Amino acid sequence: MAYDGYPQDEYMDPEDEWDREQLLDPAWEKQQKKTFTAWCNSHLRKAGTQIENIEEDFRNGLKLMLLLEVISGEQLPKPDRGKMRFHKIANVNKALDFIATKGVKLVSIGAEEIVDGNVKMTLGMIWTIILRFAIQDITVEELTAKEGLLLWCQRKTAPYKNVNVQNFHLSFKDGLAFCALIHRHRPDLIDYHKLTKDNPIENLNTAFDVAEKHLDIPRMLDAEDMVNSAKPDERSVMTYVSAYYHAFSGAQQAETAANRICKVLKVNQENERLMEEYERLASDLLAWIRKTTPWLENRTTDNTLPGTQRKLDEFRDYRRKHKPPKLEDKARLENSFNTLQTRLRLSNRPAYLPTEGKMVSDIANAWKGLETAEKGFEEWLLSELQRLERLDHLAQKFRHRCEIHEDWAEGKEEMLQSQDFKRCRLNDVKAMKKKHEAFESDLAAHQDRVEQIAAIAQELNALQYHDILAVNTRCSRICDQWDRLGTLTSSRRAALDEAETILEKIDSLHLEFAKRAAPFNNWLDGAKEDLLDMFIVHTTEEIQELFEAHEQFKSTLPEADKEYNSIMRLSQEVLRLSSSIGINNPENPYTTVNPQDIASKWSDVRQLVPQRDSTLSGEMAKQQRNERLRREFAQKANVVGPWIENQLDAVASITIQMKGSLEDQLNKLHQYEKSVQQYKPHMDDLETINQEVQEAMIFENRYTHYTMETLRVGWEQLLTAIARNINEVENQILTRDSKGISEDQMNEFRLSFNHFDKNRSRRLEPKEFKACLVSLGYNIRDDRQGDADFQRIMSIVDPNHSGYVTFECFLDFMTRETADTDTAEQVMQSFKILAGDKPFITAQILRQELPPDQAEYCIQRMAPYTGRDAVPGALDYMSFSTALYGESDLGHYPFNHTYVGKSGKKRGDLSVGTNINLYPVKKGCFI
């Protein structure tokens, strides 16, 4: 027996029905609401509408009847348009009667439960509709709808790894079954092989997104709900899977027809391919044979062993690379011919007759001629190679001996002609003499090799070697080079002896130079560093110390000049000796200091001395000028700074002490504003002096603790404080006059606000604001309801959620109950009187009852009325009335507080359910 709200019918087996505990499971109910809502919207969107809350949107029966009309394609009786309960029950009964006419028995589902928003009954009714219109028509091998749908899923997902569909809950929980169904019918949409069982949420979302985007199947399930549920809702899954079945069932018949056509065409295409392949292979093979045969019949060479060897390599390459593929083509051509004839015979087609000259026998005869020419070509090549190898052996011997001698002689002439000893030190020259003696011994040993090369060249001339010209040229070049090497060896020996004598004298001069140049060079480096040393001073005393140190250094310069001249004379003597034998000035092995460096550094020191004098004098003048600027700025700043601080304290005390009326406070603030503007020239004078201080790069001043930045900030704070206080007082006057608040009330509000504004920030934190309300008599309970009431108050006084309450918003809130203002509801009621109690009004009535300019103002801004009882030109005065007060609808603000004034009289008792009209007071603050 089916449970209340879920009918037992022929679509489901009795054992598949749920028990009471399952039906009351909140998780299953949540899943069903999501799935059934999405299923309904997939059909309702065809009529241009949708539902948001399944138990609420079907209560009046209108969208329920529309849903049945869309999914059945039939017209239901005209619905009742009234809003009374009996109208809604009548519409729902019309829908239930229509379902009953389709052979569905509704168990314990009544119109009253649907109208009352019974979730369980509503879900049961929608499940009945889904069974009748979405699942009943699923027939697989005469099984019930559920069994047939399950069998369809099992067959479609059978080839897929990690998919085993046994039911409509746990089998679909990891998402792979949904992905497999999509991939089976549309493999282009999902790469199934990249999916894993370990990512169920990703798998489910992939299937739901692809189905929604490409298959027009709405997203009826939620991935997180499926994974987090111990057992997903079976009916929700069945509803979603049935959409897959209907989406893919239409493609089966077209696939079968296409396969049949493809099978017939494939046989014919394969026969044509074999014919074309035979013709192509036959043409290519015959063309290759005709091209290759003349090459094999050619018996000419270049009479050289390499040339003949290349021809043999080409022949071997032909045998290894070119012929085997053609032999395979010949075999494939014969096999293709035989296969084609067999296929044609089996399909009752006439035998294939190749083009003239391309018969199998024609190709066999051409191949036989090719092999005959190939055999003769190979025998001729081998005999020619044997003859040329004997002559080439002697030529290789000649070249080998020439290469050995040329490798030995390479660079020898350049070495003997080199003047490298003129750039070497004494020890290097001595080593060169030893090396030269070893070379002379090696030269004598190579005499026999040169004579052997000449004898082999003479023998090749006698045998008439084909490249004898190159042999003779090479032999002549070797003999001429041998004669030149003997002459150059004697010349280098004499030059090395002379260089050794001169370098011994230069070495002693280098040693003396090194002993004297090193300490002098260090003195020059230190002097140059001191003269170029950057300094940063801040007082005249510091620059005077630098003057005294510089004068002491200048007294050491005459003695340094004598040492410099002695060192330079040693360097000049070395240059004279070097030029006498034509060698470059040798490097001093005893020091890295050279005369050019000494001369350059000495010149730099002499030039830097007067420059240092000038730099120190300029810095002295600069420090004297900076001292004057410091004193001038401090004198002004020590007057302006205290004046600004006093003015800030005076302005702040006006609004805090609240002496006199608001007008008196405003007059005092204007007087301060005027006096500040008159004091502006003093700030301008300080800016001028500060500019000079900055240009002089002065960063500290011991005569004052004020800086221009702190003075600017103080000046800007003073101007801002005066302007802000003037604005606040003017707004308080405006609020007082417009709300009719007395001076005492205004002072009471200000005193309360200031009392809780501990840090004088002109705003209250939520805790301070709550304490202030309590101090004024508001009864805000210290429980959860009281916290909720206070949060609603905060949403009014702080609509931008800034986290604090300004005095303006506080004042607007406190004066709300004392003011008598029009509300959107009152304006709406006035329009209703003019319209004769109708929910709309016409332009004609507005022009009759209102002044012309105001009537046109309303006509231009009122939206057209779209109700069922609308007449041509009807205007919606309700939305217009609420828009006048900045809201799309009248606000209902339930909270409970009582405000008690100074006299103790209750001025307002706002209990739960009391309606407060929300209207804009000023930017950023709504009451």
Side-chain angles (χ1 to χ4, degrees):
M1 178 176 179
Y3 182 63
D4 292 353
Y6 291 89
Q8 180 179 349
D9 48 54
E10 64 273 24
Y11 314 135
M12 304 293 293
D13 291 338
E15 60 270 22
D16 291 330
E17 295 300 316
W18 301 342
D19 57 18
R20 174 179 294 272
E21 287 73 20
Q22 292 173 328
L23 287 172
L24 296 178
D25 186 350
W28 286 24
E29 180 180 305
K30 178 182 176 183
Q31 292 182 24
Q32 285 192 26
K33 289 174 65 175
K34 287 184 179 180
T35 304
F36 292 177
T37 299
W39 185 86
C40 293
N41 285 332
S42 68
H43 294 286
L44 288 175
R45 67 183 180 185
K46 299 175 184 178
T49 186
Q50 64 178 7
I51 62 172
E52 298 293 339
N53 191 323
I54 195 168
E55 66 265 28
E56 292 294 330
D57 294 350
F58 285 140
R59 291 179 61 181
N60 59 9
L62 297 177
K63 289 190 177 181
L64 179 60
M65 296 178 68
L66 180 61
L67 173 65
L68 292 172
E69 289 181 349
V70 171
I71 60 179
S72 68
E74 301 179 18
Q75 187 72 30
L76 272 70
K78 184 177 181 181
D80 295 345
R81 294 297 178 179
K83 297 183 179 180
M84 303 300 291
R85 177 177 174 82
F86 72 90
H87 291 131
K88 299 177 182 179
I89 293 175
N91 291 334
V92 175
N93 277 325
K94 293 176 182 178
L96 297 179
D97 292 340
F98 177 81
I99 296 173
T101 61
K102 298 303 178 180
V104 179
K105 297 179 181 180
L106 298 174
V107 180
S108 302
I109 298 179
E112 291 78 7
E113 287 83 1
I114 305 302
V115 172
D116 292 337
N118 188 309
V119 178
K120 180 175 59 178
M121 294 301 174
T122 303
L123 293 176
M125 176 189 65
I126 297 302
W127 175 241
T128 300
I129 296 173
I130 293 173
L131 284 175
R132 173 59 183 85
F133 295 98
I135 300 179
Q136 176 186 0
D137 297 331
I138 299 176
T139 56
V140 179
E141 297 186 359
E142 299 182 356
L143 299 173
T144 65
K146 176 182 177 181
E147 293 173 345
L149 185 60
L150 184 62
L151 179 60
W152 178 79
C153 293
Q154 291 171 343
R155 288 178 175 178
K156 294 297 182 181
T157 60
Y160 290 87
K161 181 181 178 182
N162 294 329
V163 178
N164 182 18
V165 179
Q166 298 297 329
N167 50 58
F168 287 106
H169 37 82
L170 296 178
S171 297
F172 288 84
K173 188 174 182 179
D174 60 5
L176 291 178
F178 291 116
C179 294
L181 288 174
I182 296 175
H183 185 269
R184 180 64 181 269
H185 297 88
R186 291 290 303 277
D188 58 308
L189 298 181
I190 290 180
D191 189 355
Y192 183 84
H193 303 292
K194 292 184 177 180
L195 303 178
T196 63
K197 196 176 184 69
D198 298 330
N199 296 317
I201 293 181
E202 181 180 348
N203 299 338
L204 290 166
N205 284 324
T206 298
F208 298 165
D209 293 340
V210 170
E212 185 177 23
K213 182 177 180 181
H214 298 283
L215 305 177
D216 199 27
I217 299 175
R219 192 185 185 98
M220 301 183 187
L221 300 174
D222 185 272
E224 286 74 14
D225 291 346
M226 290 281 292
V227 172
N228 296 332
S229 298
K231 179 181 179 183
D233 178 54
E234 185 178 50
R235 299 193 174 196
S236 299
V237 176
M238 281 185 63
T239 302
Y240 187 57
V241 172
S242 68
Y244 279 66
Y245 175 88
H246 291 296
F248 294 133
S249 61
Q252 189 66 34
Q253 294 180 350
E255 182 179 355
T256 302
N259 290 338
R260 184 179 296 110
I261 295 173
C262 290
K263 182 178 179 181
V264 174
L265 294 178
K266 185 176 180 180
V267 173
N268 193 63
Q269 288 174 338
E270 181 63 18
N271 291 338
E272 292 180 358
R273 186 189 66 77
L274 290 174
M275 293 178 187
E276 293 174 357
E277 181 180 12
Y278 178 85
E279 291 288 336
R280 178 180 59 79
L281 289 175
S283 299
D284 293 346
L285 186 58
L286 289 172
W288 180 80
I289 292 173
R290 287 191 293 267
K291 177 181 177 182
T292 306
T293 302
W295 177 73
L296 294 173
E297 294 173 348
N298 184 13
R299 299 292 188 271
T300 61
T301 67
D302 59 356
N303 201 32
T304 65
L305 184 62
T308 306
Q309 185 65 45
R310 284 195 299 272
K311 199 152 193 174
L312 179 61
D313 292 340
E314 292 175 359
F315 177 73
R316 289 172 177 170
D317 190 59
Y318 153 79
R319 294 285 293 271
R320 289 193 304 265
K321 298 181 180 180
H322 301 290
K323 185 179 178 183
K326 296 303 177 181
L327 183 62
E328 293 177 2
D329 290 345
K330 178 174 176 294
R332 187 163 64 252
L333 182 144
E334 294 172 352
N335 293 337
S336 178
F337 181 81
N338 294 332
T339 300
L340 177 60
Q341 298 293 19
T342 301
R343 290 174 63 90
L344 292 173
R345 183 174 64 257
L346 293 175
S347 59
N348 297 322
R349 303 288 181 88
Y352 169 63
L353 183 64
T355 308
E356 183 179 357
K358 297 181 182 179
M359 298 291 292
V360 175
S361 58
D362 297 332
I363 294 173
N365 292 333
W367 189 265
K368 183 177 181 181
L370 175 71
E371 291 183 333
T372 301
E374 178 184 321
K375 181 179 180 182
F377 185 73
E378 183 179 17
E379 294 174 351
W380 170 77
L381 271 179
L382 293 176
S383 63
E384 185 68 13
L385 281 173
Q386 291 176 357
R387 183 185 70 82
L388 292 174
E389 276 183 349
R390 290 191 297 270
L391 185 59
D392 193 62
H393 175 71
L394 188 60
Q396 287 182 0
K397 184 177 181 180
F398 172 81
R399 287 191 293 270
H400 177 65
R401 293 182 179 274
C402 288
E403 289 172 358
I404 294 174
H405 175 77
E406 288 169 349
D407 289 341
W408 175 85
E410 183 179 3
K412 294 296 189 296
E413 288 188 70
E414 290 78 6
M415 183 269 292
L416 294 172
Q417 292 174 344
S418 172
Q419 301 293 316
D420 52 353
F421 59 86
K422 294 184 178 182
R423 299 186 300 273
C424 296
R425 300 175 182 177
L426 178 61
N427 291 335
D428 294 333
V429 172
K430 291 181 180 293
M432 285 182 178
K433 285 185 65 178
K434 297 293 184 182
K435 183 178 179 182
H436 186 71
E437 291 172 357
F439 172 74
E440 289 175 335
S441 300
D442 191 27
L443 184 67
H446 275 74
Q447 179 70 33
D448 291 342
R449 184 173 292 136
V450 175
E451 292 175 355
Q452 291 174 5
I453 290 172
I456 295 173
Q458 186 177 1
E459 186 178 358
L460 287 172
N461 276 279
L463 296 175
Q464 297 182 351
Y465 180 60
H466 71 90
D467 196 16
I468 194 62
L469 180 61
V471 171
N472 291 335
T473 301
R474 192 171 189 181
C475 181
S476 178
R477 184 171 64 250
I478 289 174
C479 293
D480 292 342
Q481 184 189 39
W482 182 256
D483 295 336
R484 290 194 303 272
L485 289 175
T487 303
L488 291 173
T489 300
S490 300
S491 300
R492 182 171 177 82
R493 175 90 181 195
L496 287 172
D497 291 339
E498 182 183 10
E500 182 181 12
T501 303
I502 298 298
L503 288 175
E504 286 176 347
K505 296 179 181 180
I506 292 175
D507 186 69
S508 63
L509 293 173
H510 276 163
L511 181 59
E512 179 66 19
F513 177 87
K515 290 179 180 179
R516 303 181 66 174
F520 187 69
N521 181 68
N522 292 335
W523 180 85
L524 288 174
D525 289 338
K528 187 175 180 180
E529 182 178 353
D530 292 339
L531 291 171
L532 291 173
D533 185 32
M534 300 295 295
F535 56 85
I536 299 176
V537 296
H538 301 287
T539 64
T540 55
E541 293 79 5
E542 293 175 351
I543 195 64
Q544 184 61 36
E545 293 177 0
L546 293 177
F547 260 117
E548 295 172 356
H550 183 62
E551 289 300 326
Q552 184 179 359
F553 167 76
K554 288 163 62 176
S555 64
T556 64
L557 292 179
E559 188 66 27
D561 185 63
K562 293 179 182 179
E563 182 65 15
Y564 167 74
N565 291 327
S566 299
I567 293 172
M568 296 308 293
R569 281 193 294 270
L570 292 173
S571 175
Q572 292 169 2
E573 181 63 18
V574 171
L575 289 175
R576 188 188 66 76
L577 290 173
S578 300
S579 61
S580 65
I581 59 172
I583 65 174
N584 296 328
N585 184 17
E587 182 180 355
N588 192 331
Y590 304 108
T591 181
T592 58
V593 179
N594 59 64
Q596 292 77 18
D597 292 340
I598 296 293
S600 176
K601 292 179 180 180
W602 177 249
S603 176
D604 291 343
V605 167
R606 294 176 65 88
Q607 292 177 5
L608 288 172
V609 169
Q611 293 178 10
R612 184 72 168 184
D613 290 335
S614 176
T615 301
L616 291 173
S617 299
E619 184 63 26
M620 176 63 78
K622 177 183 176 183
Q623 290 302 323
Q624 291 172 350
R625 184 174 59 258
N626 288 352
E627 189 71 11
R628 178 184 57 80
L629 287 174
R630 289 190 185 97
R631 293 178 182 274
E632 186 178 356
F633 179 83
Q635 183 180 3
K636 283 278 187 182
N638 289 335
V639 174
V640 173
W643 185 88
I644 292 176
E645 294 170 354
N646 294 334
Q647 295 299 310
L648 280 170
D649 293 340
V651 170
S653 65
I654 292 176
T655 55
I656 295 176
Q657 295 176 0
M658 296 185 299
K659 293 181 179 180
S661 63
L662 292 176
E663 286 76 5
D664 293 339
Q665 296 177 23
L666 183 62
N667 290 334
K668 288 182 181 180
L669 289 171
H670 281 301
Q671 291 173 6
Y672 277 111
E673 182 180 27
K674 184 176 180 182
S675 65
V676 169
Q677 295 300 326
Q678 292 173 351
Y679 201 76
K680 183 67 165 56
H682 296 281
M683 284 294 295
D684 297 337
D685 292 342
L686 271 176
E687 288 286 359
T688 302
I689 299 173
N690 183 67
Q691 182 176 354
E692 296 181 18
V693 170
Q694 290 178 337
E695 292 173 353
M697 304 296 288
I698 299 173
F699 301 106
E700 58 183 20
N701 192 337
R702 63 178 179 269
Y703 302 110
T704 181
H705 66 277
Y706 292 104
T707 65
M708 195 63 226
E709 182 63 27
T710 58
L711 292 174
R712 288 196 198 101
V713 172
W715 182 262
E716 292 171 358
Q717 289 177 350
L718 178 58
L719 293 176
T720 303
I722 293 174
R724 183 174 60 245
N725 280 281
I726 290 175
N727 179 258
E728 289 181 359
V729 173
E730 289 176 344
N731 287 338
Q732 293 174 28
I733 293 173
L734 178 62
T735 303
R736 181 198 64 190
D737 296 342
S738 62
K739 302 292 186 177
I741 302 172
S742 66
E743 193 72 32
D744 291 340
Q745 289 177 311
M746 184 64 71
N747 290 335
E748 180 184 0
F749 296 153
R750 167 57 79 178
L751 285 172
S752 298
F753 187 89
N754 288 343
H755 176 74
F756 290 96
D757 183 14
K758 302 297 184 182
N759 57 1
R760 297 296 182 262
S761 61
R762 301 177 183 274
R763 60 193 186 189
L764 297 180
E765 300 296 330
K767 290 183 178 179
E768 296 173 341
F769 176 59
K770 184 175 182 180
C772 183
L773 291 179
V774 173
S775 70
L776 291 171
Y778 280 81
N779 181 20
I780 301 178
R781 294 184 300 181
D782 189 14
D783 55 14
R784 182 175 297 179
Q785 181 60 42
D787 292 339
D789 292 342
F790 179 70
Q791 289 302 321
R792 284 191 287 271
I793 295 176
M794 282 298 297
S795 67
I796 295 174
V797 298
D798 182 20
N800 297 324
H801 303 290
S802 59
Y804 55 83
V805 179
T806 63
F807 180 71
E808 287 79 3
C809 292
F810 174 78
L811 184 61
D812 288 335
F813 178 78
M814 297 306 301
T815 57
R816 170 65 185 90
E817 297 175 22
T818 61
D820 184 14
T821 58
D822 293 329
T823 66
E825 191 174 32
Q826 293 171 348
V827 175
M828 192 183 304
Q829 187 63 31
S830 300
F831 274 116
K832 185 174 182 181
I833 294 173
L834 296 181
D837 290 337
K838 295 178 181 178
F840 60 85
I841 196 169
T842 62
Q844 179 181 1
I845 295 176
L846 290 172
R847 291 190 176 101
Q848 290 175 356
E849 301 295 339
L850 298 179
D853 57 338
Q854 296 182 353
E856 295 301 324
Y857 178 88
C858 295
I859 294 170
Q860 293 175 4
R861 287 163 175 76
M862 283 188 181
Y865 178 73
T866 58
R868 295 183 179 274
D869 53 347
V871 299
L875 300 175
D876 187 356
Y877 62 79
M878 294 185 181
S879 62
F880 175 77
S881 299
T882 56
L884 287 176
Y885 290 84
E887 295 291 334
S888 61
D889 196 1
L890 285 177
H892 297 280
Y893 176 65
F895 63 95
N896 182 4
H897 77 268
T898 302
Y899 170 62
V900 182
K902 286 185 176 180
S903 62
K905 178 183 178 182
K906 288 188 178 180
R907 297 182 179 177
D909 187 359
L910 304 181
S911 58
V912 176
T914 302
N915 295 335
I916 299 179
N917 297 320
L918 305 182
Y919 62 94
V921 175
K922 62 171 58 181
K923 184 178 181 181
C925 182
F926 286 87
I927 299 300

